[in-house]
């Protein structure tokens, strides 16, 4: 199997894993955690490499995951003081950890090929060259096994603890009363998030990791009201971003990392525009309907009693004549108003609408 095939496999696994992980982060309003983790794990990676001097060792992932958990614990501890808010706690902790990692890399690894900017940027196009060789046998790219394995861990964790995770996000008080210990589950989940971030870190780079953890789930959030459905839609959008980004990068003869992020952002913008309930077009349509209904009700109130002619309406309603005509046409078609000569009067139905305080015209 060629390099292109393995690059596509790793891209799809990365997109699928990140988009699933990000759903709970977005739903729990912790989107910035992915950005924090993608930087805070750096000292764990550097420390493990200093000790082991083996860039391919799986212990680097565990050490980086421990650094991510350290960030989570420190953020929670700082937030519990109630002296700063959660987002401010994150903004204090992860730059500090990242800075420590940069200092360690600059001082301890200055004469090696292990540089921080390579970890932060990532390059999916080169991942198939990192082979898993055991006993002289080549089993394929090592990152493919890491990403697929981490994807299975994420899926298994969500499948086993789905009900508890749902309660943790939407009703932590009820989760506590039912004995689920939401705080502990939250730390465990963020531990999985940390490992997932580390797994994708060197493969895809922090920019793509954050993009795939936030953008597809954010688009799914605009489309769905159910957590399970949101996960399915987010996963589909993550895979779509990975596949289209891969082939776009292939067509442009560039690494797929940038195109995947761009496709994910473009898909989000399309969803933001056309989402049936939460999209910008739907919101604008609802506002037009609300303004129309408000105008119709104001018109009915002006016509209450003896009725009025057009001169009266134009004098008492601060609208353009065309707006008055449209409001009259709508209320006449609805059977709320009837034209009598040069005047308009309320019908019995229109009078009932006026007398009903909570009704819509």
């Amino acid at each position: 199997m060629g390099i292109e095939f393995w690059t596509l496999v790793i891209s799809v696994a990365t997109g699928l894993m990140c988009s699933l992980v990000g759903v709970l982060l977005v739903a729990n309003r912790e989107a910035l955690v992915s950005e924090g983790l993608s930087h805070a794990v750096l000292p764990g990676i550097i420390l493990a490499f200093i000790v082991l001097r083996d860039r391919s060792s799986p212990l680097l992932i565990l050490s980086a995951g421990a650094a991510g958990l350290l960030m989570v614990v420190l953020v929670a501890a700082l937030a519990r003081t109630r002296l700063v808010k959660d987002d401010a706690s994150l903004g204090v902790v992860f730059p500090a950890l990242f800075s420590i990692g940069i200092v360690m890399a600059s001082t301890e690894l200055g004469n090696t090929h292990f540089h921080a900017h390579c970890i932060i940027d990532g390059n999916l196009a080169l991942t198939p060259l990192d082979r898993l060789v055991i006993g002289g046998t080549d089993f394929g790219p090592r990152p493919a096994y890491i990403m697929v394995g981490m994807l299975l861990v994420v899926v298994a964790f969500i499948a086993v603890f789905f009900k508890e995770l749902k309660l943790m996000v939407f009703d932590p008080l009820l989760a506590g009363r039912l004995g689920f210990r939401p705080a502990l589950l939250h730390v465990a989940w963020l531990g999985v998030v940390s490992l997932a971030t580390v797994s994708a870190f060197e493969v895809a780079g922090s920019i793509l990791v954050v993009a795939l953890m936030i953008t597809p789930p954010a688009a799914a959030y605009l489309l769905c009201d159910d957590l399970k459905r949101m996960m399915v839609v987010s996963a589909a959008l993550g895979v779509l971003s990975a596949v289209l980004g891969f082939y776009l990068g292939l067509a442009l003869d560039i690494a797929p990392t940038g195109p995947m992020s761009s496709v994910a952002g473009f898909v989000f913008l399309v969803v933001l525009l056309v989402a049936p309930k939460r999209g910008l077009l739907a919101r604008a349509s609802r506002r037009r309907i609300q303004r129309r209904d408000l105008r119709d009700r104001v018109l009915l109130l002006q016509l209450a009693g003896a009725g009025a002619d057009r001169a009266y309406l134009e004098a008492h309603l601060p609208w353009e004549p065309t707006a008055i005509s449209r409001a009259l046409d709508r209320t006449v078609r609805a059977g709320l108003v009837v034209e009598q000569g040069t005047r308009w009067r309320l019908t019995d139905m229109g009078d009932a609408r006026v007398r009903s305080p909570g009704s819509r015209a």
Side-chain angles (χ1 to χ4, degrees):
M1 296 180 184
I3 291 178
E4 293 179 359
F5 170 80
W6 283 115
T7 303
L8 179 60
V9 169
I10 296 170
S11 299
V12 170
T14 302
L16 185 55
M17 182 195 70
C18 290
S19 59
L20 283 174
V21 165
V23 169
L24 289 171
L25 294 178
V26 171
N28 206 30
R29 299 182 180 180
E30 294 178 320
L32 286 178
V33 168
S34 61
E35 172 67 19
L37 285 173
S38 65
H39 289 75
V41 297
L42 183 59
I45 297 175
I46 301 297
L47 181 61
F49 183 77
I50 290 174
V51 174
L52 301 171
R53 294 290 168 172
D54 181 4
R55 189 167 173 265
S56 62
S57 173
L59 293 179
L60 264 70
I61 294 180
L62 296 179
S63 178
L69 277 178
L70 176 62
M71 187 207 78
V72 171
V73 172
L74 290 177
V75 169
L78 190 57
R80 275 198 299 269
T81 65
R82 299 187 178 180
L83 298 176
V84 291
K85 294 183 178 180
D86 292 349
D87 54 349
S89 302
L90 183 61
V92 169
V93 173
F94 97 74
L97 291 175
F98 183 62
S99 300
I100 293 172
I102 292 293
V103 171
M104 293 170 63
S106 301
T107 57
E108 299 294 331
L109 305 178
N111 297 322
T112 70
H113 68 284
F114 196 97
H115 294 290
H117 69 85
C118 298
I119 304 171
I120 297 169
D121 295 338
N123 192 343
L124 277 169
L126 299 179
T127 51
L129 303 180
D130 183 4
R131 314 299 292 185
L132 178 64
V133 180
I134 301 176
T137 303
D138 188 343
F139 289 92
R142 183 180 62 89
Y145 290 95
I146 293 175
M147 297 311 302
V148 172
M150 196 62 226
L151 172 62
L152 294 177
V153 170
V154 169
V155 171
F157 191 94
I158 293 174
V160 172
F161 297 104
F162 180 76
K163 293 181 180 179
E164 292 83 355
L165 290 169
K166 190 173 182 179
L167 280 174
M168 177 194 76
V169 171
F170 297 108
D171 199 340
L173 293 178
L174 178 59
R177 291 172 183 171
L178 294 176
F180 289 151
R181 303 185 68 181
L184 182 60
L185 180 62
H186 186 235
V187 172
W189 166 246
L190 288 181
V192 173
V193 173
S194 179
L195 288 175
T197 302
V198 172
S199 300
F201 200 54
E202 186 180 358
V203 172
S206 64
I207 295 175
L208 183 59
V209 169
V210 173
L212 292 178
M213 279 192 180
I214 304 306
T215 312
Y221 179 80
L222 295 174
L223 294 170
C224 306
D225 295 319
D226 178 77
L227 184 61
K228 186 180 295 186
R229 205 172 298 128
M230 183 177 169
M231 286 187 172
V232 173
V233 172
S234 177
L237 294 179
V239 171
L240 178 67
S241 300
V243 173
L244 292 183
F246 168 77
Y247 284 107
L248 179 60
L250 204 60
L252 297 176
D253 194 23
I254 59 176
T257 305
M260 285 172 63
S261 300
S262 300
V263 170
F266 177 76
V267 171
F268 172 78
L269 290 177
V270 172
V271 172
L272 178 66
L273 185 64
V274 303
K277 293 182 179 180
R278 300 186 178 96
L280 295 179
L281 293 179
R283 179 179 294 183
S285 177
R286 285 195 299 271
R287 287 178 176 173
R288 285 196 301 270
I289 292 173
Q290 290 169 355
R291 287 196 298 268
R292 184 199 70 186
D293 291 344
L294 179 60
R295 285 189 170 187
D296 290 353
R297 184 162 184 80
V298 170
L299 177 66
L300 295 180
L301 291 172
Q302 289 292 337
L303 295 177
D309 58 14
R310 178 172 287 275
Y312 176 87
L313 293 175
E314 291 181 355
H316 289 80
L317 294 175
W319 307 340
E320 295 291 331
T322 54
I324 295 176
S325 298
R326 285 195 295 266
L328 285 169
D329 291 341
R330 282 195 302 268
T331 52
V332 168
R333 288 196 303 269
L336 305 175
V337 172
V338 63
E339 185 176 2
Q340 293 182 344
T342 60
R343 304 176 71 85
W344 285 269
R345 297 182 183 276
L346 296 181
T347 63
D348 292 340
M349 186 186 303
D351 186 65
R353 288 288 180 92
V354 172
R355 295 175 185 278
S356 175
S359 65
R360 290 173 58 185

